[in-house]
Amino acid sequence: MGTVLTIVIIVIVVLAAAAVFFVYQRRESQQLHERFGPEYERTLEDSGDRRSAERELRQRERRVSKLDIVPLSRESAELYRGEWARIQQSFVDRPGSAVADADRLVLRMMRETGYPVDEFDQRVNDISVDHPEVAAHYRDAHRVAVAQAHGEADTEELRQAVTAYRALVDALLADSASGHHRTQPTDAKEQA
């Protein structure tokens, strides 16, 4: 009877450990999903595997936590706000130029706040950590800017691109107004 009881206890302990691990993983997944929203779904779709997608999102968080991201100064924010207003006004007469100007403006704003800007995919992944709701807009806008550079974008696509760029401009300006530095990683272990 002692051997049977020992086996039963071991099975119960293993099942309990598995249940705790499962609950922990579900909680971690839920936190990442809440934090990244549509970016979580996009990353999951791209990777085809939940574990890979979540690993990618955690890597983004770790990478961005090492960057020195700072809000724009009040003076810079005002200059960018004015430049953005001029870009939007220029859209009526020069839609293609307005999109190219918006792309360059966003690049300068990101560089000034501390985001590395060398490579677009990394840039959008980095911005998705602090502004996951804006990442898809930024991808769409940049895709249209590239198409416009090749003469392959129509006026409606250009209008949508300017609207999409506005989401990122607004987010970076809002960070400046609020003094927002950055959100923290979902996992306390990653803060160390």
Side-chain angles (χ1 to χ4, degrees), residues 49-109:
D49 172 32
R50 184 182 54 80
R51 293 181 83 193
S52 295
E54 290 178 0
R55 185 173 35 254
E56 160 69 22
L57 294 172
R58 284 189 192 99
Q59 286 172 347
R60 290 182 196 182
E61 286 180 325
R62 279 191 295 276
R63 174 183 157 74
V64 170
S65 73
K66 294 175 185 173
L67 300 175
D68 187 22
I69 308 297
V70 296
L72 295 166
S73 69
R74 185 171 289 140
E75 298 80 23
S76 287
E78 283 307 311
L79 289 172
Y80 287 128
R81 193 172 281 113
E83 188 172 345
W84 178 248
R86 286 187 294 280
I87 288 170
Q88 289 183 103
Q89 289 172 350
S90 74
F91 180 81
V92 173
D93 296 324
R94 305 173 315 140
S97 294
V99 168
D101 292 344
D103 191 60
R104 286 189 294 272
L105 174 72
V106 163
L107 197 65
R108 289 194 339 267
M109 291 175 78

Side-chain angles (χ1 to χ4, degrees), residues 34-189:
E34 288 172 7
R35 172 147 164 55
F36 281 95
E39 189 65 13
Y40 179 95
E41 298 297 331
R42 190 201 67 78
T43 306
L44 178 59
E45 186 178 307
D46 284 354
S47 73
D49 172 32
R50 184 182 54 80
R51 293 181 83 193
S52 295
E54 290 178 0
R55 185 173 35 254
E56 160 69 22
L57 294 172
R58 284 189 192 99
Q59 286 172 347
R60 290 182 196 182
E61 286 180 325
R62 279 191 295 276
R63 174 183 157 74
V64 170
S65 73
K66 294 175 185 173
L67 300 175
D68 187 22
I69 308 297
V70 296
L72 295 166
S73 69
R74 185 171 289 140
E75 298 80 23
S76 287
E78 283 307 311
L79 289 172
Y80 287 128
R81 193 172 281 113
E83 188 172 345
W84 178 248
R86 286 187 294 280
I87 288 170
Q88 289 183 103
Q89 289 172 350
S90 74
F91 180 81
V92 173
D93 296 324
R94 305 173 315 140
S97 294
V99 168
D101 292 344
D103 191 60
R104 286 189 294 272
L105 174 72
V106 163
L107 197 65
R108 289 194 339 267
M109 291 175 78
M110 289 182 72
R111 182 178 294 121
E112 187 171 333
T113 57
Y115 288 100
V117 296
D118 296 332
E119 197 265 320
F120 177 76
D121 289 332
Q122 187 63 60
R123 189 166 62 233
V124 76
N125 287 346
D126 290 346
I127 199 72
S128 76
V129 173
D130 291 327
H131 300 287
E133 71 285 353
V134 173
H137 295 295
Y138 188 31
R139 279 187 193 90
D140 292 342
H142 186 73
R143 179 189 50 77
V144 173
V146 169
Q148 170 57 25
H150 295 98
E152 300 170 356
D154 64 32
T155 305
E156 178 58 20
E157 290 172 315
L158 296 172
R159 184 193 65 75
Q160 290 173 359
V162 168
T163 300
Y165 276 122
R166 181 174 51 223
L168 182 53
V169 169
D170 288 348
L172 294 171
L173 290 173
D175 287 352
S176 174
S178 70
H180 173 267
H181 181 65
R182 78 159 41 92
T183 54
Q184 296 301 316
T186 58
D187 190 350
K189 296 180 295 191

